[in-house]
């Protein structure tokens, strides 16, 4: 594989893609519990979510380079634009092309959800760019984690469930699940910012790890996982036999192990922790969907 091809694959940040998949999968599980799972709109939601995240990752790489926020030899994953493997023009073109295609795919959900979904899709597209671009880039002003909770948790879980049920009947289950998934997704970003704190501080990129320090954000990582576990238990305890809560208990234990790693490693050593945090989130969403489907009303 050529160096340029590897750079494009790296720019997709494959280790983080389980974050967008998890929200849709959890939303599908909520729909399955109410006997309204629909494979086609579910698949469209999944495609839209993944493409929107990759477009956001491309935009992050381009705009961080443009704004001088990336340096060669940084601790995190290799940045193709900064390292000269991908031209800035090509990255910007790929960003807008992929985002436009994602929006075109997402528009087909109007069939199940109604025309108001255009506004929801537009908001998601704006977020994909505003995370790194615009007058107030969210990721540069300590707002990245909040944005992730909303757009990788609340929005995908509740909307995926909605377009399948074609109503908000799933909301009593989907809402607490969506916040839990959002908190798990925020933890993936916390690992990223925790790892990059020194590089970001040097270029005045004000992530939460720069603003509050690694010590505080390490604690937030731990608390997020505990709150997410509690929310999942609250949302499901009356909907399935107690034995199924073993999945939430397993998540909590694995989360604790990752927290220990987070607070004892540094630099590029944290790259596996980032991927493992994303995969743990995805695994929890799979367990939840299986449990809800088997214990459907």
């Amino acid at each position: 594989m050529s160096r340029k091809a590897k750079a494009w694959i790296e720019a997709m940040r494959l280790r983080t893609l389980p974050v967008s998949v998890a929200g849709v999968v959890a939303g599908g599980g909520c729909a399955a519990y109410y006997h309204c799972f629909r494979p086609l709109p579910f698949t469209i939601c999944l495609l839209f979510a993944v493409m929107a995240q990759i477009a956001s990752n491309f935009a992050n790489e381009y705009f961080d380079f443009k704004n001088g926020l990336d340096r060669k030899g940084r601790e995190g994953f290799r940045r193709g634009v900064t390292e000269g493997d991908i031209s800035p023009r090509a990255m910007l073109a790929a960003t807008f092309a992929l985002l436009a295609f994602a929006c075109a795919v997402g528009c087909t959900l109007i069939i199940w959800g109604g025309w108001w979904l255009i506004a929801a899709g537009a908001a998601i597209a704006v977020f994909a760019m505003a995370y790194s671009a615009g007058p107030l880039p969210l990721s540069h002003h300590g707002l990245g984690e909040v944005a992730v909770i909303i757009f990788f948790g609340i929005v995908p879980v509740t909307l995926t469930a909605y377009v399948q049920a074609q109503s908000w009947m799933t909301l009593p289950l989907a809402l607490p699940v969506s916040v839990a998934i959002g908190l798990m997704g925020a933890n993936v970003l916390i690992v990223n910012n925790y790892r990059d704190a020194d590089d970001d501080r040097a270029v005045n990129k004000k992530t939460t790890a720069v603003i509050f320090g690694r010590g505080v954000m390490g604690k937030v990582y731990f608390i997020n996982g505990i709150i997410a576990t509690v929310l999942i238990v609250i949302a499901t305890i009356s909907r399935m036999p107690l034995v199924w809560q073993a999945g939430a208990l397993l998540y909590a234990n694995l989360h604790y192990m990752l927290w220990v790693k987070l607070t004892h490693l540094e630099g590029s050593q944290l790259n596996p922790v980032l991927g493992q945090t994303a995969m743990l989130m995805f695994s929890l969403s799979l367990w939840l969907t299986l449990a809800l489907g088997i214990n459907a009303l």
Side-chain angles (χ1 to χ4, degrees):
M1 184 181 296
S2 70
R3 184 174 174 178
K4 181 175 289 189
K6 289 181 180 178
W8 278 107
I9 293 174
E10 194 71 38
M12 293 180 187
R13 303 178 195 173
L14 300 181
R15 294 190 190 189
T16 68
L17 293 187
V19 176
S20 57
V21 174
V24 176
V25 170
C30 293
Y33 182 76
Y34 288 91
H35 293 290
C36 52
F37 179 81
R38 297 169 184 259
L40 184 54
F42 172 81
T43 302
I44 294 172
C45 286
L46 191 60
L47 291 173
F48 174 78
V50 171
M51 288 189 291
Q53 183 181 354
I54 294 175
S56 182
N57 291 341
F58 284 177
N60 179 253
E61 182 147 339
Y62 170 80
F63 285 104
D64 276 7
F65 167 79
K66 180 182 177 183
N67 296 324
L69 299 177
D70 272 344
R71 301 186 299 176
K72 291 186 177 182
R74 64 195 298 275
E75 289 287 358
F77 302 115
R78 182 182 177 86
R79 298 291 187 105
V81 176
T82 300
E83 300 290 345
D85 300 328
I86 304 171
S87 72
R89 182 177 180 180
M91 182 59 75
L92 185 62
T95 298
F96 284 112
L98 186 57
L99 191 59
F101 186 64
C103 289
V105 170
C107 280
T108 62
L109 292 171
I110 292 171
I111 298 171
W112 296 276
W115 288 97
W116 74 272
L117 286 179
I118 292 180
I124 295 171
V126 169
F127 158 74
M129 299 301 295
Y131 181 79
S132 306
L136 186 69
L138 300 175
S139 63
H140 305 173
H141 294 83
L143 297 172
E145 285 83 356
V146 174
V148 167
I149 291 171
I150 295 172
F151 288 99
F152 285 95
I154 296 173
V155 170
V157 175
T158 58
L159 289 189
T160 297
Y162 173 83
V163 297
Q164 293 174 88
Q166 297 182 311
S167 76
W168 292 111
M169 64 182 289
T170 62
L171 203 57
L173 172 62
L175 187 56
V177 167
S178 72
V179 176
I181 293 294
L183 290 170
M184 295 176 194
N187 273 353
V188 177
L189 183 58
I190 286 174
V191 178
N192 182 82
N193 293 339
Y194 190 102
R195 179 199 63 202
D196 294 345
D198 293 337
D199 287 337
D200 291 338
R201 187 178 295 107
V203 295
N204 200 33
K205 181 178 179 181
K206 296 179 180 179
T207 64
T208 51
V210 172
I211 296 171
F212 301 108
R214 285 192 173 100
V216 170
M217 295 314 297
K219 292 180 176 65
V220 172
Y221 177 96
F222 178 76
I223 293 170
N224 279 355
I226 299 304
I227 294 175
T229 302
V230 171
L231 285 172
I232 292 295
V233 171
I234 290 173
T236 60
I237 192 69
S238 64
R239 293 181 166 91
M240 61 182 69
L242 188 61
V243 66
W244 282 95
Q245 297 303 327
L249 181 61
L250 178 60
Y251 167 83
N253 279 274
L254 293 174
H255 167 70
Y256 172 77
M257 294 170 62
L258 288 177
W259 173 68
V260 172
K261 285 186 178 182
L262 175 70
T263 55
H264 286 80
L265 299 176
E266 59 183 25
S268 59
Q269 294 176 321
L270 288 168
N271 288 340
V273 178
L274 187 150
Q276 290 161 5
T277 299
M279 284 305 300
L280 181 58
M281 171 187 180
F282 174 64
S283 299
L284 187 282
S285 71
L286 284 180
W287 161 80
L288 182 63
T289 296
L290 176 64
L292 289 173
I294 292 175
N295 293 282
L297 283 172

